Amino acid sequence: MKRTDFQFELPEELIAQFPPEKRGDSRLLSLNSSNGTVDDKHFSDLPDMLDEGDLLVFNDTRVMKARLHGVKETGGQVEILVERLLDDSYALAHVRASKSPKPGTRLLIDDGIIEVRGREGDLFELTCTHPGFASLMENKGHVPLPPYIERDDEVEDLERYQTVYGEKVGAVAAPTAGLHFTHELLERLDAKGIHSARVTLHVGAGTFQPVRVDNLSDHVMHSEWLEVAELTCEQVRACKEEGRRVVAVGTTSVRALESAATSGQLKPYVGDTELFITPGYQFNVIDALVTNFHLSESTLLMLVSALGGVDNIRHAYQHAIDQRYRFFSYGDAMLISP
């Protein structure tokens, strides 16, 4: 397929610049992937749209305060986006500056000192021993809002750009389908007998990179770190044996589960994935998906099209535009199910 098969025109005013006033106060577009019909719902309706025994799989990553602003020793401005924190003194990061910093360059974040050690592909190898990355990001870091949110991060984003169940710090972007869930909604789901499981996938900045090649087979997918534990595998197996549905919360949960099942069987997995899911992909684990609306020509739009069907997703997106749904990270949601 071609990149342009996943192109759509979105009015700029439909890109959500702020979260809804109240967490969970979002719309939910239900897509029946078997016949392409859509239905306008509210996210609070989700428990009524799932069946007892269904298994919701959540990504429990937490977003780091990964954006740092500083200067080179020569005085030039620099912006650092920590992509992967390998330990408290060593990280891989994107660095934006007027000139690409060379090994040995020192970057000053107030009284913090970061040294450029080298390159690993598009990422810079950085060290920080004073005071260490964790302390520096906690005290001087900013919430790394996506590029289509055209404002600086605010105090509200510290809480709203995190899921209520996130535990494992390491992402530079939120698993945004999870932003709609509240503690009250999780309790309602549990009361109905809808089960939950966890995976961890630390979302990287590559999730926002556009596909630049015409043929999808030529695209080099970005890498992200994930973990799928044995307990989650057992929960999925039990769900399948009972004839129930595995419902992924977000494309990151899809990517984690399907990466751990490339052999055809879900197994515990820890490591990186470069899995690129496009139409024609045969899903080994998931049956349904809760997701947000994604960018035109993006790998995430290709993934949801693989599950929902290209024509069905195109129709659903046009319906969402016509009905003035809010798009992207702080926007509304979809439920794609057979």
Side-chain angles (χ1 to χ4, degrees):
M1 300 192 73
K2 303 289 187 182
R3 169 174 52 89
T4 51
D5 293 329
F6 304 91
Q7 185 181 73
F8 66 92
E9 297 296 326
L10 179 68
E12 189 173 337
E13 66 269 18
L14 296 186
I15 301 175
Q17 297 296 312
F18 292 89
E21 184 173 341
K22 182 180 179 182
R23 188 188 289 270
D25 191 15
S26 307
R27 300 167 73 186
L28 179 65
L29 180 62
S30 175
L31 169 64
N32 184 321
S33 61
S34 298
N35 57 27
T37 58
V38 294
D39 198 6
D40 298 307
K41 298 285 188 179
H42 190 275
F43 202 83
S44 59
D45 297 324
L46 183 63
D48 300 325
M49 303 166 70
L50 301 176
D51 299 323
E52 181 180 353
D54 283 348
L55 179 66
L56 282 169
V57 182
F58 297 91
N59 180 6
D60 63 4
T61 188
R62 282 187 67 82
V63 179
M64 303 182 288
K65 294 168 68 176
R67 181 166 282 123
L68 297 164
H69 300 285
V71 295
K72 300 179 185 178
E73 284 187 304
T74 55
Q77 297 292 315
V78 64
E79 180 183 287
I80 299 168
L81 180 63
V82 176
E83 172 82 14
R84 187 173 298 193
L85 193 60
L86 300 175
D87 61 44
D88 194 40
S89 62
Y90 182 48
L92 299 176
H94 303 270
V95 178
R96 294 177 58 186
S98 57
K99 291 185 179 180
S100 182
K102 297 178 180 179
T105 301
R106 297 208 306 174
L107 311 175
L108 310 179
I109 314 296
D110 285 345
D111 59 348
I113 301 172
I114 293 175
E115 184 174 340
V116 178
R117 302 303 296 270
R119 295 287 293 268
E120 186 176 303
D122 293 333
L123 299 174
F124 288 81
E125 299 174 347
L126 305 179
T127 58
C128 179
T129 56
H130 175 74
F133 277 109
S135 176
L136 190 61
M137 289 194 293
E138 179 60 30
N139 294 309
K140 302 299 180 181
H142 293 264
V143 178
L145 293 176
Y148 46 74
I149 294 182
E150 298 177 342
R151 62 176 176 83
D152 293 333
D153 62 307
E154 300 179 1
V155 173
E156 179 186 32
D157 297 305
L158 287 171
E159 184 252 338
R160 295 302 299 274
Y161 199 58
Q162 300 279 14
T163 65
V164 298
Y165 50 79
E167 295 179 346
K168 300 177 182 177
V169 177
V172 299
T176 55
L179 298 181
H180 305 283
F181 287 84
T182 64
H183 292 295
E184 292 77 14
L185 182 60
L186 293 172
E187 290 171 359
R188 286 179 54 207
L189 290 163
D190 182 65
K192 188 176 176 180
I194 297 164
H195 305 306
S196 66
R198 303 292 176 91
V199 296
T200 304
L201 185 143
H202 291 324
V203 192
T207 192
F208 302 117
Q209 290 179 355
V211 176
R212 294 187 174 90
V213 295
D214 290 329
N215 294 315
L216 302 192
S217 58
D218 295 330
H219 177 65
V220 178
M221 191 64 174
H222 63 281
S223 177
E224 292 172 319
W225 184 91
L226 69 95
E227 179 177 10
V228 177
E230 174 60 35
L231 175 59
T232 298
C233 297
E234 293 172 358
Q235 290 175 290
V236 169
R237 283 193 290 269
C239 177
K240 296 286 191 180
E241 289 170 359
E242 295 173 1
R244 302 299 188 180
R245 296 179 299 178
V246 175
V247 183
V249 177
T251 56
T252 60
S253 294
V254 175
R255 200 168 183 224
L257 289 169
E258 295 296 327
S259 295
T262 53
S263 66
Q265 181 179 355
L266 182 65
K267 299 177 181 178
Y269 183 90
V270 178
D272 287 353
T273 180
E274 296 178 353
L275 180 64
F276 184 22
I277 296 176
T278 59
Y281 177 85
Q282 297 298 311
F283 289 90
N284 292 308
V285 182
I286 72 158
D287 303 299
L289 170 64
V290 178
T291 186
N292 278 22
F293 295 96
H294 304 292
L295 279 74
S296 176
E297 300 185 351
S298 66
T299 60
L300 302 183
L301 182 58
M302 296 164 190
L303 184 156
V304 299
S305 297
L307 182 66
V310 175
D311 291 338
N312 289 343
I313 293 295
R314 187 179 293 119
H315 167 68
Y317 270 53
Q318 188 58 55
H319 176 87
I321 292 169
D322 293 342
Q323 296 300 313
R324 312 294 291 178
Y325 277 69
R326 301 168 76 245
F327 274 65
F328 307 154
S329 294
Y330 275 149
D332 295 312
M334 288 184 69
L335 172 64
I336 303 172
S337 58

PDB file of all heavy atoms in Angstrom, residues 26-57:
ATOM      1  N   SER A  26     -15.109  12.732  27.529  1.00  0.00           N
ATOM      2  CA  SER A  26     -14.765  12.659  26.108  1.00  0.00           C
ATOM      3  C   SER A  26     -15.837  11.886  25.360  1.00  0.00           C
ATOM      4  O   SER A  26     -16.593  11.100  25.940  1.00  0.00           O
ATOM      5  CB  SER A  26     -13.411  11.965  25.911  1.00  0.00           C
ATOM      6  OG  SER A  26     -12.416  12.566  26.694  1.00  0.00           O
ATOM      7  N   ARG A  27     -15.878  12.096  24.077  1.00  0.00           N
ATOM      8  CA  ARG A  27     -16.770  11.330  23.223  1.00  0.00           C
ATOM      9  C   ARG A  27     -16.085  10.033  22.804  1.00  0.00           C
ATOM     10  O   ARG A  27     -14.854   9.913  22.842  1.00  0.00           O
ATOM     11  CB  ARG A  27     -17.160  12.160  21.995  1.00  0.00           C
ATOM     12  CG  ARG A  27     -17.879  13.437  22.361  1.00  0.00           C
ATOM     13  CD  ARG A  27     -17.989  14.392  21.184  1.00  0.00           C
ATOM     14  NE  ARG A  27     -18.962  13.936  20.196  1.00  0.00           N
ATOM     15  CZ  ARG A  27     -19.150  14.549  19.019  1.00  0.00           C
ATOM     16  NH1 ARG A  27     -18.412  15.594  18.683  1.00  0.00           N
ATOM     17  NH2 ARG A  27     -20.072  14.097  18.183  1.00  0.00           N
ATOM     18  N   LEU A  28     -16.879   9.066  22.414  1.00  0.00           N
ATOM     19  CA  LEU A  28     -16.372   7.760  22.000  1.00  0.00           C
ATOM     20  C   LEU A  28     -17.108   7.345  20.733  1.00  0.00           C
ATOM     21  O   LEU A  28     -18.325   7.182  20.745  1.00  0.00           O
ATOM     22  CB  LEU A  28     -16.584   6.724  23.107  1.00  0.00           C
ATOM     23  CG  LEU A  28     -16.133   5.291  22.809  1.00  0.00           C
ATOM     24  CD1 LEU A  28     -14.618   5.229  22.644  1.00  0.00           C
ATOM     25  CD2 LEU A  28     -16.578   4.344  23.919  1.00  0.00           C
ATOM     26  N   LEU A  29     -16.369   7.195  19.649  1.00  0.00           N
ATOM     27  CA  LEU A  29     -16.949   6.746  18.385  1.00  0.00           C
ATOM     28  C   LEU A  29     -16.783   5.240  18.295  1.00  0.00           C
ATOM     29  O   LEU A  29     -15.655   4.730  18.307  1.00  0.00           O
ATOM     30  CB  LEU A  29     -16.248   7.430  17.211  1.00  0.00           C
ATOM     31  CG  LEU A  29     -16.750   7.051  15.814  1.00  0.00           C
ATOM     32  CD1 LEU A  29     -18.217   7.440  15.648  1.00  0.00           C
ATOM     33  CD2 LEU A  29     -15.899   7.711  14.737  1.00  0.00           C
ATOM     34  N   SER A  30     -17.891   4.531  18.230  1.00  0.00           N
ATOM     35  CA  SER A  30     -17.854   3.076  18.147  1.00  0.00           C
ATOM     36  C   SER A  30     -17.909   2.646  16.692  1.00  0.00           C
ATOM     37  O   SER A  30     -18.819   3.036  15.952  1.00  0.00           O
ATOM     38  CB  SER A  30     -19.050   2.480  18.910  1.00  0.00           C
ATOM     39  OG  SER A  30     -19.092   1.072  18.757  1.00  0.00           O
ATOM     40  N   LEU A  31     -16.918   1.863  16.267  1.00  0.00           N
ATOM     41  CA  LEU A  31     -16.861   1.349  14.901  1.00  0.00           C
ATOM     42  C   LEU A  31     -16.997  -0.163  14.921  1.00  0.00           C
ATOM     43  O   LEU A  31     -16.210  -0.860  15.556  1.00  0.00           O
ATOM     44  CB  LEU A  31     -15.531   1.739  14.240  1.00  0.00           C
ATOM     45  CG  LEU A  31     -15.214   1.043  12.905  1.00  0.00           C
ATOM     46  CD1 LEU A  31     -16.235   1.412  11.831  1.00  0.00           C
ATOM     47  CD2 LEU A  31     -13.789   1.367  12.449  1.00  0.00           C
ATOM     48  N   ASN A  32     -18.010  -0.662  14.220  1.00  0.00           N
ATOM     49  CA  ASN A  32     -18.162  -2.094  14.016  1.00  0.00           C
ATOM     50  C   ASN A  32     -17.358  -2.452  12.773  1.00  0.00           C
ATOM     51  O   ASN A  32     -17.755  -2.116  11.652  1.00  0.00           O
ATOM     52  CB  ASN A  32     -19.640  -2.448  13.832  1.00  0.00           C
ATOM     53  CG  ASN A  32     -19.877  -3.945  13.701  1.00  0.00           C
ATOM     54  OD1 ASN A  32     -19.086  -4.644  13.063  1.00  0.00           O
ATOM     55  ND2 ASN A  32     -20.955  -4.433  14.284  1.00  0.00           N
ATOM     56  N   SER A  33     -16.231  -3.127  12.963  1.00  0.00           N
ATOM     57  CA  SER A  33     -15.343  -3.395  11.839  1.00  0.00           C
ATOM     58  C   SER A  33     -15.880  -4.474  10.908  1.00  0.00           C
ATOM     59  O   SER A  33     -15.342  -4.660   9.806  1.00  0.00           O
ATOM     60  CB  SER A  33     -13.950  -3.780  12.349  1.00  0.00           C
ATOM     61  OG  SER A  33     -14.010  -4.951  13.140  1.00  0.00           O
ATOM     62  N   SER A  34     -16.925  -5.174  11.333  1.00  0.00           N
ATOM     63  CA  SER A  34     -17.503  -6.201  10.471  1.00  0.00           C
ATOM     64  C   SER A  34     -18.350  -5.597   9.357  1.00  0.00           C
ATOM     65  O   SER A  34     -18.349  -6.079   8.221  1.00  0.00           O
ATOM     66  CB  SER A  34     -18.364  -7.168  11.294  1.00  0.00           C
ATOM     67  OG  SER A  34     -17.579  -7.837  12.246  1.00  0.00           O
ATOM     68  N   ASN A  35     -19.087  -4.526   9.690  1.00  0.00           N
ATOM     69  CA  ASN A  35     -19.966  -3.932   8.673  1.00  0.00           C
ATOM     70  C   ASN A  35     -19.726  -2.446   8.448  1.00  0.00           C
ATOM     71  O   ASN A  35     -20.388  -1.825   7.610  1.00  0.00           O
ATOM     72  CB  ASN A  35     -21.445  -4.174   9.036  1.00  0.00           C
ATOM     73  CG  ASN A  35     -21.805  -3.634  10.414  1.00  0.00           C
ATOM     74  OD1 ASN A  35     -21.186  -2.687  10.903  1.00  0.00           O
ATOM     75  ND2 ASN A  35     -22.805  -4.238  11.057  1.00  0.00           N
ATOM     76  N   GLY A  36     -18.802  -1.848   9.201  1.00  0.00           N
ATOM     77  CA  GLY A  36     -18.443  -0.459   8.976  1.00  0.00           C
ATOM     78  C   GLY A  36     -19.364   0.567   9.601  1.00  0.00           C
ATOM     79  O   GLY A  36     -19.159   1.770   9.413  1.00  0.00           O
ATOM     80  N   THR A  37     -20.348   0.132  10.375  1.00  0.00           N
ATOM     81  CA  THR A  37     -21.268   1.086  10.984  1.00  0.00           C
ATOM     82  C   THR A  37     -20.602   1.798  12.157  1.00  0.00           C
ATOM     83  O   THR A  37     -19.752   1.241  12.852  1.00  0.00           O
ATOM     84  CB  THR A  37     -22.553   0.396  11.477  1.00  0.00           C
ATOM     85  OG1 THR A  37     -22.203  -0.633  12.419  1.00  0.00           O
ATOM     86  CG2 THR A  37     -23.308  -0.223  10.310  1.00  0.00           C
ATOM     87  N   VAL A  38     -20.999   3.055  12.365  1.00  0.00           N
ATOM     88  CA  VAL A  38     -20.453   3.843  13.460  1.00  0.00           C
ATOM     89  C   VAL A  38     -21.594   4.331  14.338  1.00  0.00           C
ATOM     90  O   VAL A  38     -22.734   4.478  13.899  1.00  0.00           O
ATOM     91  CB  VAL A  38     -19.630   5.044  12.941  1.00  0.00           C
ATOM     92  CG1 VAL A  38     -18.395   4.564  12.206  1.00  0.00           C
ATOM     93  CG2 VAL A  38     -20.466   5.952  12.057  1.00  0.00           C
ATOM     94  N   ASP A  39     -21.257   4.577  15.602  1.00  0.00           N
ATOM     95  CA  ASP A  39     -22.252   5.031  16.575  1.00  0.00           C
ATOM     96  C   ASP A  39     -21.588   6.037  17.503  1.00  0.00           C
ATOM     97  O   ASP A  39     -20.466   5.812  17.964  1.00  0.00           O
ATOM     98  CB  ASP A  39     -22.780   3.836  17.379  1.00  0.00           C
ATOM     99  CG  ASP A  39     -24.089   4.140  18.081  1.00  0.00           C
ATOM    100  OD1 ASP A  39     -24.646   5.234  17.860  1.00  0.00           O
ATOM    101  OD2 ASP A  39     -24.552   3.285  18.857  1.00  0.00           O
ATOM    102  N   ASP A  40     -22.251   7.138  17.769  1.00  0.00           N
ATOM    103  CA  ASP A  40     -21.718   8.177  18.634  1.00  0.00           C
ATOM    104  C   ASP A  40     -22.068   7.890  20.083  1.00  0.00           C
ATOM    105  O   ASP A  40     -23.243   7.785  20.440  1.00  0.00           O
ATOM    106  CB  ASP A  40     -22.268   9.546  18.231  1.00  0.00           C
ATOM    107  CG  ASP A  40     -21.866   9.931  16.815  1.00  0.00           C
ATOM    108  OD1 ASP A  40     -20.665   9.895  16.517  1.00  0.00           O
ATOM    109  OD2 ASP A  40     -22.762  10.254  16.008  1.00  0.00           O
ATOM    110  N   LYS A  41     -21.037   7.772  20.916  1.00  0.00           N
ATOM    111  CA  LYS A  41     -21.211   7.459  22.323  1.00  0.00           C
ATOM    112  C   LYS A  41     -20.407   8.445  23.170  1.00  0.00           C
ATOM    113  O   LYS A  41     -19.724   9.328  22.660  1.00  0.00           O
ATOM    114  CB  LYS A  41     -20.730   6.031  22.606  1.00  0.00           C
ATOM    115  CG  LYS A  41     -21.495   4.939  21.870  1.00  0.00           C
ATOM    116  CD  LYS A  41     -22.857   4.705  22.472  1.00  0.00           C
ATOM    117  CE  LYS A  41     -23.528   3.494  21.861  1.00  0.00           C
ATOM    118  NZ  LYS A  41     -24.867   3.241  22.469  1.00  0.00           N
ATOM    119  N   HIS A  42     -20.476   8.240  24.485  1.00  0.00           N
ATOM    120  CA  HIS A  42     -19.642   8.964  25.433  1.00  0.00           C
ATOM    121  C   HIS A  42     -18.688   7.952  26.039  1.00  0.00           C
ATOM    122  O   HIS A  42     -19.012   6.762  26.169  1.00  0.00           O
ATOM    123  CB  HIS A  42     -20.502   9.615  26.524  1.00  0.00           C
ATOM    124  CG  HIS A  42     -19.756  10.577  27.392  1.00  0.00           C
ATOM    125  ND1 HIS A  42     -19.029  10.169  28.492  1.00  0.00           N
ATOM    126  CD2 HIS A  42     -19.602  11.921  27.316  1.00  0.00           C
ATOM    127  CE1 HIS A  42     -18.470  11.216  29.065  1.00  0.00           C
ATOM    128  NE2 HIS A  42     -18.802  12.297  28.369  1.00  0.00           N
ATOM    129  N   PHE A  43     -17.493   8.395  26.441  1.00  0.00           N
ATOM    130  CA  PHE A  43     -16.516   7.430  26.956  1.00  0.00           C
ATOM    131  C   PHE A  43     -17.031   6.718  28.201  1.00  0.00           C
ATOM    132  O   PHE A  43     -16.677   5.566  28.454  1.00  0.00           O
ATOM    133  CB  PHE A  43     -15.177   8.110  27.262  1.00  0.00           C
ATOM    134  CG  PHE A  43     -14.039   7.130  27.270  1.00  0.00           C
ATOM    135  CD1 PHE A  43     -13.431   6.742  26.097  1.00  0.00           C
ATOM    136  CD2 PHE A  43     -13.591   6.572  28.454  1.00  0.00           C
ATOM    137  CE1 PHE A  43     -12.397   5.813  26.088  1.00  0.00           C
ATOM    138  CE2 PHE A  43     -12.564   5.644  28.465  1.00  0.00           C
ATOM    139  CZ  PHE A  43     -11.968   5.260  27.280  1.00  0.00           C
ATOM    140  N   SER A  44     -17.896   7.358  28.961  1.00  0.00           N
ATOM    141  CA  SER A  44     -18.466   6.723  30.151  1.00  0.00           C
ATOM    142  C   SER A  44     -19.365   5.543  29.794  1.00  0.00           C
ATOM    143  O   SER A  44     -19.734   4.749  30.671  1.00  0.00           O
ATOM    144  CB  SER A  44     -19.249   7.747  30.972  1.00  0.00           C
ATOM    145  OG  SER A  44     -20.298   8.315  30.203  1.00  0.00           O
ATOM    146  N   ASP A  45     -19.732   5.402  28.497  1.00  0.00           N
ATOM    147  CA  ASP A  45     -20.552   4.272  28.055  1.00  0.00           C
ATOM    148  C   ASP A  45     -19.733   3.003  27.866  1.00  0.00           C
ATOM    149  O   ASP A  45     -20.311   1.932  27.616  1.00  0.00           O
ATOM    150  CB  ASP A  45     -21.236   4.599  26.722  1.00  0.00           C
ATOM    151  CG  ASP A  45     -22.214   5.758  26.815  1.00  0.00           C
ATOM    152  OD1 ASP A  45     -22.879   5.881  27.863  1.00  0.00           O
ATOM    153  OD2 ASP A  45     -22.307   6.539  25.849  1.00  0.00           O
ATOM    154  N   LEU A  46     -18.416   3.079  27.970  1.00  0.00           N
ATOM    155  CA  LEU A  46     -17.570   1.938  27.639  1.00  0.00           C
ATOM    156  C   LEU A  46     -17.943   0.657  28.392  1.00  0.00           C
ATOM    157  O   LEU A  46     -17.993  -0.413  27.770  1.00  0.00           O
ATOM    158  CB  LEU A  46     -16.099   2.289  27.882  1.00  0.00           C
ATOM    159  CG  LEU A  46     -15.085   1.200  27.512  1.00  0.00           C
ATOM    160  CD1 LEU A  46     -15.125   0.900  26.012  1.00  0.00           C
ATOM    161  CD2 LEU A  46     -13.667   1.612  27.929  1.00  0.00           C
ATOM    162  N   PRO A  47     -18.216   0.678  29.698  1.00  0.00           N
ATOM    163  CA  PRO A  47     -18.569  -0.577  30.364  1.00  0.00           C
ATOM    164  C   PRO A  47     -19.787  -1.261  29.754  1.00  0.00           C
ATOM    165  O   PRO A  47     -19.859  -2.500  29.754  1.00  0.00           O
ATOM    166  CB  PRO A  47     -18.859  -0.132  31.813  1.00  0.00           C
ATOM    167  CG  PRO A  47     -18.038   1.102  31.980  1.00  0.00           C
ATOM    168  CD  PRO A  47     -18.106   1.800  30.651  1.00  0.00           C
ATOM    169  N   ASP A  48     -20.708  -0.492  29.217  1.00  0.00           N
ATOM    170  CA  ASP A  48     -21.906  -1.070  28.604  1.00  0.00           C
ATOM    171  C   ASP A  48     -21.615  -1.644  27.226  1.00  0.00           C
ATOM    172  O   ASP A  48     -22.450  -2.385  26.682  1.00  0.00           O
ATOM    173  CB  ASP A  48     -23.005  -0.006  28.484  1.00  0.00           C
ATOM    174  CG  ASP A  48     -23.413   0.565  29.827  1.00  0.00           C
ATOM    175  OD1 ASP A  48     -23.416  -0.199  30.817  1.00  0.00           O
ATOM    176  OD2 ASP A  48     -23.704   1.781  29.896  1.00  0.00           O
ATOM    177  N   MET A  49     -20.465  -1.319  26.661  1.00  0.00           N
ATOM    178  CA  MET A  49     -20.118  -1.775  25.322  1.00  0.00           C
ATOM    179  C   MET A  49     -19.192  -2.983  25.347  1.00  0.00           C
ATOM    180  O   MET A  49     -18.842  -3.532  24.304  1.00  0.00           O
ATOM    181  CB  MET A  49     -19.466  -0.615  24.552  1.00  0.00           C
ATOM    182  CG  MET A  49     -20.362   0.620  24.479  1.00  0.00           C
ATOM    183  SD  MET A  49     -19.507   2.116  23.954  1.00  0.00           S
ATOM    184  CE  MET A  49     -19.187   1.738  22.246  1.00  0.00           C
ATOM    185  N   LEU A  50     -18.780  -3.381  26.551  1.00  0.00           N
ATOM    186  CA  LEU A  50     -17.944  -4.552  26.726  1.00  0.00           C
ATOM    187  C   LEU A  50     -18.732  -5.633  27.446  1.00  0.00           C
ATOM    188  O   LEU A  50     -19.744  -5.362  28.098  1.00  0.00           O
ATOM    189  CB  LEU A  50     -16.682  -4.190  27.513  1.00  0.00           C
ATOM    190  CG  LEU A  50     -15.781  -3.110  26.896  1.00  0.00           C
ATOM    191  CD1 LEU A  50     -14.623  -2.780  27.840  1.00  0.00           C
ATOM    192  CD2 LEU A  50     -15.261  -3.541  25.533  1.00  0.00           C
ATOM    193  N   ASP A  51     -18.258  -6.864  27.344  1.00  0.00           N
ATOM    194  CA  ASP A  51     -18.950  -8.006  27.944  1.00  0.00           C
ATOM    195  C   ASP A  51     -18.187  -8.526  29.159  1.00  0.00           C
ATOM    196  O   ASP A  51     -16.954  -8.404  29.245  1.00  0.00           O
ATOM    197  CB  ASP A  51     -19.088  -9.141  26.921  1.00  0.00           C
ATOM    198  CG  ASP A  51     -19.888  -8.718  25.706  1.00  0.00           C
ATOM    199  OD1 ASP A  51     -20.861  -7.952  25.866  1.00  0.00           O
ATOM    200  OD2 ASP A  51     -19.530  -9.147  24.579  1.00  0.00           O
ATOM    201  N   GLU A  52     -18.924  -9.103  30.069  1.00  0.00           N
ATOM    202  CA  GLU A  52     -18.301  -9.747  31.226  1.00  0.00           C
ATOM    203  C   GLU A  52     -17.282 -10.775  30.742  1.00  0.00           C
ATOM    204  O   GLU A  52     -17.550 -11.574  29.839  1.00  0.00           O
ATOM    205  CB  GLU A  52     -19.370 -10.436  32.075  1.00  0.00           C
ATOM    206  CG  GLU A  52     -18.814 -11.117  33.317  1.00  0.00           C
ATOM    207  CD  GLU A  52     -19.898 -11.804  34.139  1.00  0.00           C
ATOM    208  OE1 GLU A  52     -21.094 -11.630  33.809  1.00  0.00           O
ATOM    209  OE2 GLU A  52     -19.544 -12.514  35.103  1.00  0.00           O
ATOM    210  N   GLY A  53     -16.117 -10.739  31.331  1.00  0.00           N
ATOM    211  CA  GLY A  53     -15.051 -11.660  30.945  1.00  0.00           C
ATOM    212  C   GLY A  53     -14.093 -11.108  29.913  1.00  0.00           C
ATOM    213  O   GLY A  53     -13.016 -11.684  29.698  1.00  0.00           O
ATOM    214  N   ASP A  54     -14.449  -9.987  29.270  1.00  0.00           N
ATOM    215  CA  ASP A  54     -13.496  -9.343  28.362  1.00  0.00           C
ATOM    216  C   ASP A  54     -12.273  -8.899  29.148  1.00  0.00           C
ATOM    217  O   ASP A  54     -12.348  -8.613  30.344  1.00  0.00           O
ATOM    218  CB  ASP A  54     -14.134  -8.136  27.680  1.00  0.00           C
ATOM    219  CG  ASP A  54     -15.095  -8.515  26.546  1.00  0.00           C
ATOM    220  OD1 ASP A  54     -15.092  -9.693  26.135  1.00  0.00           O
ATOM    221  OD2 ASP A  54     -15.842  -7.625  26.079  1.00  0.00           O
ATOM    222  N   LEU A  55     -11.136  -8.825  28.462  1.00  0.00           N
ATOM    223  CA  LEU A  55      -9.881  -8.453  29.104  1.00  0.00           C
ATOM    224  C   LEU A  55      -9.352  -7.168  28.492  1.00  0.00           C
ATOM    225  O   LEU A  55      -9.001  -7.123  27.312  1.00  0.00           O
ATOM    226  CB  LEU A  55      -8.845  -9.566  28.930  1.00  0.00           C
ATOM    227  CG  LEU A  55      -7.458  -9.314  29.522  1.00  0.00           C
ATOM    228  CD1 LEU A  55      -7.511  -9.239  31.046  1.00  0.00           C
ATOM    229  CD2 LEU A  55      -6.463 -10.396  29.069  1.00  0.00           C
ATOM    230  N   LEU A  56      -9.314  -6.112  29.283  1.00  0.00           N
ATOM    231  CA  LEU A  56      -8.700  -4.854  28.865  1.00  0.00           C
ATOM    232  C   LEU A  56      -7.213  -4.899  29.194  1.00  0.00           C
ATOM    233  O   LEU A  56      -6.838  -5.211  30.329  1.00  0.00           O
ATOM    234  CB  LEU A  56      -9.345  -3.670  29.592  1.00  0.00           C
ATOM    235  CG  LEU A  56     -10.704  -3.194  29.099  1.00  0.00           C
ATOM    236  CD1 LEU A  56     -11.307  -2.209  30.102  1.00  0.00           C
ATOM    237  CD2 LEU A  56     -10.607  -2.542  27.731  1.00  0.00           C
ATOM    238  N   VAL A  57      -6.370  -4.576  28.219  1.00  0.00           N
ATOM    239  CA  VAL A  57      -4.928  -4.590  28.433  1.00  0.00           C
ATOM    240  C   VAL A  57      -4.419  -3.157  28.368  1.00  0.00           C
ATOM    241  O   VAL A  57      -4.511  -2.484  27.338  1.00  0.00           O
ATOM    242  CB  VAL A  57      -4.204  -5.458  27.392  1.00  0.00           C
ATOM    243  CG1 VAL A  57      -2.698  -5.476  27.680  1.00  0.00           C
ATOM    244  CG2 VAL A  57      -4.762  -6.876  27.413  1.00  0.00           C
TER     245      VAL A  57
END
